[in-house]
Amino acid sequence: MKFTTLDEYLASLPKPTQKLLKQVRAAIKAAAPGAREKLSYQIGAFELDGRNLLGYAGWANHISLYPIPSGPDAFNKEVSKYAAGKGTLKFPLDKPLPLKLIGRIVKYRIQNLKQSTSKYGN
């Protein structure tokens, strides 16, 4: 199915996934209050200052965030247990969501965007 709106995408997910994804979205919004939510590549996403901040998707067994930001070694180690594939974090639906970690992921992603903007003058 091809979605035309974010609401269509979210409504297509299983109810348990929707419930947990709502918590993830709230954590993202709290960490990036100026970000705008949108549909991108047929999944949910947030953009900040016109640039893609973070994508998120709900699946049968997990919730994914894209991309994985880089941070200090301790942060990178903590995030690595959720890494699956290049640039993807997977949070299992049968385990408590690490909402504080998700908030930190968003903040590091914002920091990564700011660094790339200043580095390339965008």
Side-chain angles (χ1 to χ4, degrees):
M1 174 178 198
K2 186 165 175 105
F3 306 109
T4 57
T5 68
L6 181 58
D7 288 336
E8 283 179 2
Y9 165 69
L10 296 171
S12 75
L13 301 171
K15 294 291 183 200
T17 304
Q18 286 181 30
K19 181 181 175 187
L20 293 173
L21 201 55
K22 185 176 183 179
Q23 294 174 25
V24 170
R25 291 169 65 209
I28 295 169
K29 288 176 185 180
R36 183 180 75 83
E37 202 168 10
K38 65 180 185 174
L39 181 69
S40 180
Y41 297 101
Q42 295 295 295
I43 63 169
F46 283 88
E47 70 176 24
L48 186 64
D49 300 328
R51 299 183 66 201
N52 288 328
L53 175 62
L54 203 63
Y56 63 88
W59 304 97
N61 299 311
H62 66 276
I63 289 174
S64 294
L65 291 182
Y66 321 86
I68 303 171
S70 61
D73 288 340
F75 170 79
N76 293 341
K77 184 177 179 181
E78 188 177 2
V79 170
S80 69
K81 67 181 171 182
Y82 299 105
K86 189 174 183 175
T88 303
L89 294 170
K90 289 185 178 179
F91 303 103
L93 297 182
D94 62 350
K95 303 238 187 301
L97 288 171
L99 296 174
K100 287 182 182 179
L101 175 61
I102 290 170
R104 289 186 17 243
I105 289 166
V106 173
K107 290 180 182 185
Y108 279 117
R109 180 70 182 127
I110 292 169
Q111 193 174 40
N112 292 165
L113 281 178
K114 288 181 180 179
Q115 287 172 349
S116 69
T117 298
S118 63
K119 183 178 180 179
Y120 297 107
N122 295 338

